[in-house]
């Protein structure tokens, strides 16, 4: 079956502009260890531009008043929206979560970062990544999953990312861990990849393709660059088919998730499955891993439900995500802005992340959202 063509408006790429803005905004904070030391190293004027460019799509957009035109405006600027979101949020992610920007399942007695790594290993296993394979990581963040999967499989991983700051940090981390010969990080828009057809033995994406304006667009590009017979696996963020766009409460939950996570337009499970099939993939497996019946819910960390803590070390990871922890971050970032240590917009970004976290928890508890809908598809060999 030949892949169907799905045309969506694409933003014009300008790598020179993006690189210059990255240097202006982040300066030498690319060399920082991450978290607080990186947050205070931003240029205030460049930060203001990033804040305005991102939040113009969400400020004063109430769920009961949101229109199709509002969503269309976001999807038209999908790349800019996502790039500026990560310009603003990357350091807060690293400070509050770690270097693997995704959720995971948990087992009893399993520490937080072990569970994160197991989630990455599971995807690599389902895809069948083997030593020596040439593998693409679509939307690689600061390279946490790529480094883990490279060590786990002995494959060569190319990370694709539209954010220059994250690429700089991912490259530094790879060198630090002695993996620079096994990892490469490339700038690019996953809706219009620069790789030739049939370039990779396998492709994976971990909670990244949700940033696409249309899933067929990114899945179609993945299909194109994957070798015939190759396998693509994804953990996708999707609304469940219980989502009702005519329900204002449902729309409020989705909009909170989108604003707090740099998403232009999130779709349902049925739409995600249709996208995989429409571009030509033979669907080998699909499953909502959040429905596996685990005794520890995937969202316990962002909900701050300390009763699920599996080790004392987890306390340091999730304490900042409790309501008390978020309030402290809110006050602290506001104080840093007031005295001039943190650039304007730091508190607003932290508040948006907290709002997004509340939306994620509400989405999970109301069976409206999953961050780990697993889809595995093969590109036909002929």
């Amino acid at each position: 079956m030949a892949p169907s063509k799905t045309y969506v408006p694409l933003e014009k790429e300008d790598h020179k502009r993006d690189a210059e803005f990255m240097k202006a905004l982040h300066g030498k904070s690319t060399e920082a260890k991450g978290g607080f030391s990186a947050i205070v190293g931003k240029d205030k004027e460049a930060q203001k531009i990033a804040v305005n460019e991102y939040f113009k799509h969400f400020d004063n957009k109430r769920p009961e008043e949101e229109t199709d035109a509002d969503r269309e405006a976001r999807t038209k600027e999908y790349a800019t929206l996502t790039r500026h979101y990560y310009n603003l949020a990357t350091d807060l992610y690293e400070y509050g979560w770690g270097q693997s920007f995704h959720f995971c399942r948990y087992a009893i007695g399993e520490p937080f970062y072990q569970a994160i790594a197991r989630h990455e290993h599971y995807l690599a296993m389902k895809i069948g990544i083997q030593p020596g394979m040439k593998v693409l990581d679509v939307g690689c963040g600061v390279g946490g999953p790529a480094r883990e999967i490279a060590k786990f499989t002995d494959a060569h991983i190319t990370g694709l990312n539209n954010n220059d700051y994250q690429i700089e940090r991912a490259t530094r981390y790879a060198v630090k861990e002695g993996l620079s010969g096994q990892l490469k990080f490339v700038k690019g828009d996953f809706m219009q990849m620069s790789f030739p057809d049939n370039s990779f033995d396998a492709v994976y994406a971990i909670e990244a393709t949700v940033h696409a304006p249309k899933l067929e667009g990114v899945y179609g590009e993945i299909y194109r660059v994957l070798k015939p017979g190759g396998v693509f696996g994804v953990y996708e963020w999707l609304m469940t088919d219980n989502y009702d766009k005519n329900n204002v409460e449902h729309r409020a939950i989705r909009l909170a998730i989108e604003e707090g996570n740099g998403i232009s337009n999130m779709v349902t499970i049925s739409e995600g499955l249709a996208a995989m099939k429409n571009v030509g993939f033979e669907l080998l497996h699909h499953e909502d891993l959040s429905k596996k019946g685990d005794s520890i819910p995937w969202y316990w960390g962002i909900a701050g439900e300390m009763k699920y803590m599996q080790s004392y070390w987890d306390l340091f990871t999730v304490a900042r995500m409790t309501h008390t922890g978020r309030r402290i971050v809110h006050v602290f970032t506001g104080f840093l802005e007031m005295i001039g240590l943190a650039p304007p917009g730091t508190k607003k970004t932290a508040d948006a992340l907290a709002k997004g976290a509340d939306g994620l928890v509400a989405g999970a508890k109301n069976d409206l959202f999953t961050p780990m809908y697993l889809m595995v598809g093969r590109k036909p060999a002929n």
Side-chain angles (χ1 to χ4, degrees), residues 86 99 101 137-145 160-161 163 166-167 170 185:
Y86 283 112
Q99 294 173 10
F101 298 168
D137 177 338
V138 178
C140 63
V142 296
L160 179 65
N161 196 317
N163 183 277
Q166 290 191 343
I167 291 171
F185 298 99

Side-chain angles (χ1 to χ4, degrees), residues 201-221:
D201 299 301
V203 180
Y204 68 85
I206 299 179
E207 303 184 22
T209 46
V210 67
H211 295 295
K214 195 171 183 65
L215 287 180
E216 279 95 337
V218 63
Y219 291 171
E221 278 293 273

Side-chain angles (χ1 to χ4, degrees), residues 315-358:
L315 176 64
F316 300 101
T317 303
V318 302
R320 289 165 289 204
M321 299 304 296
T322 63
H323 288 291
T324 300
R326 290 183 207 164
R327 181 63 185 168
I328 291 171
V329 170
H330 170 86
V331 173
F332 184 57
T333 52
F335 174 72
L336 291 178
E337 282 190 35
M338 184 180 69
I339 64 175
L341 267 181
T346 303
K347 180 170 73 69
K348 186 172 185 176
T349 303
D351 290 347
L353 293 181
K355 179 180 179 180
D358 288 339

Side-chain angles (χ1 to χ4, degrees), residues 55-74:
F55 284 104
K56 72 179 183 182
H57 292 291
F58 296 103
D59 283 346
N60 304 313
K61 301 292 193 300
R62 294 162 54 86
E64 57 268 32
E65 299 168 356
E66 187 189 38
T67 66
D68 290 340
D70 292 329
R71 290 196 162 267
E72 185 178 349
R74 292 207 298 269

Side-chain angles (χ1 to χ4, degrees), residues 57-272:
H57 292 291
F58 296 103
D59 283 346
N60 304 313
K61 301 292 193 300
R62 294 162 54 86
E64 57 268 32
E65 299 168 356
E66 187 189 38
T67 66
D68 290 340
D70 292 329
R71 290 196 162 267
E72 185 178 349
R74 292 207 298 269
T75 57
K76 281 183 177 178
E77 295 188 13
Y78 67 94
T80 298
L81 183 147
T82 302
R83 186 171 59 253
H84 281 310
Y85 172 76
Y86 283 112
N87 276 332
L88 297 170
T90 293
D91 297 320
L92 291 167
Y93 271 38
E94 287 200 56
Y95 171 72
W97 195 257
Q99 294 173 10
S100 289
F101 298 168
H102 63 80
F103 295 109
C104 65
R105 296 169 60 203
Y106 300 96
I108 293 174
E110 183 178 45
F112 177 81
Y113 289 117
Q114 184 177 327
I116 288 282
R118 178 167 63 88
H119 200 59
E120 295 161 359
H121 296 170
Y122 186 77
L123 183 60
M125 181 271 293
K126 295 296 286 187
I127 295 170
I129 298 175
Q130 299 295 321
M133 275 189 172
K134 189 176 179 183
V135 179
L136 177 64
D137 177 338
V138 178
C140 63
V142 296
R147 294 194 301 278
E148 186 63 36
I149 290 174
K151 288 181 281 190
F152 180 65
T153 65
D154 285 332
H156 183 279
I157 313 290
T158 297
L160 179 65
N161 196 317
N162 197 33
N163 183 277
D164 300 74
Y165 181 58
Q166 290 191 343
I167 291 171
E168 288 281 329
R169 294 193 69 77
T171 301
R172 287 183 178 275
Y173 291 140
V175 171
K176 183 179 178 181
E177 294 189 21
L179 292 168
S180 56
Q182 207 177 338
L183 295 167
K184 181 171 76 169
F185 298 99
V186 176
K187 163 81 172 179
D189 176 358
F190 58 30
M191 297 291 290
Q192 44 190 326
M193 299 183 195
S194 60
F195 308 114
D197 295 356
N198 309 323
S199 293
F200 296 95
D201 299 301
V203 180
Y204 68 85
I206 299 179
E207 303 184 22
T209 46
V210 67
H211 295 295
K214 195 171 183 65
L215 287 180
E216 279 95 337
V218 63
Y219 291 171
E221 278 293 273
I222 288 167
Y223 186 97
R224 181 183 66 79
V225 303
L226 186 61
K227 292 178 182 178
V231 175
F232 164 52
V234 58
Y235 289 139
E236 193 61 83
W237 278 31
L238 294 167
M239 303 304 290
T240 72
D241 290 325
N242 292 326
Y243 174 77
D244 178 4
K245 67 179 181 180
N246 296 315
N247 185 311
V248 175
E249 290 184 6
H250 290 194
R251 293 209 307 270
I253 289 171
R254 181 173 72 160
L255 188 59
I257 294 171
E258 290 170 334
E259 178 180 350
N261 294 279
I263 300 166
S264 61
N265 184 50
M266 188 162 48
V267 300
T268 62
I269 289 172
S270 59
E271 291 173 274

